[in-house]
């Protein structure tokens, strides 16, 4: 259970960091995602979706 909580914490934090960087880029007038932002998006989505699916299928 603690491992699942760690996944959620990491995933949520990663998505928040991504959101802040995207907003900052939007303010500067830049569009699109950089490579490191795409990696953060993948990590964040896995970190949030994996524990939810694990709970549903247990």
């Amino acid at each position: 259970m603690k491992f699942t909580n760690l996944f959620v914490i990491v995933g949520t934090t990663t998505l928040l960091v991504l959101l802040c960087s995207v907003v900052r880029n939007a303010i500067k007038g830049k569009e699109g995602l950089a490579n490191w932002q795409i990696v953060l998006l993948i990590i964040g989505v896995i970190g949030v979706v994996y524990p939810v699916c694990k709970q549903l299928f247990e």
Side-chain angles (χ1 to χ4, degrees):
M1 189 65 181
K2 291 182 180 182
F3 183 70
T4 304
N5 289 342
L6 180 66
F7 256 92
V8 172
I9 292 169
V10 169
T12 306
T13 305
T14 305
L15 289 176
L16 286 173
V17 169
L18 176 65
L19 179 66
C20 290
S21 67
V22 168
V23 168
R24 189 184 72 219
N25 283 349
I27 291 171
K28 290 180 179 178
K30 296 180 183 176
E31 294 183 10
L33 295 175
N35 288 341
W36 65 272
Q37 289 173 320
I38 294 171
V39 171
L40 282 183
L41 179 63
I42 293 169
I43 293 171
V45 169
I46 290 172
V48 172
V49 171
Y50 170 73
V52 170
C53 290
K54 187 176 179 186
Q55 290 291 332
L56 288 176
F57 296 115
E58 274 187 351

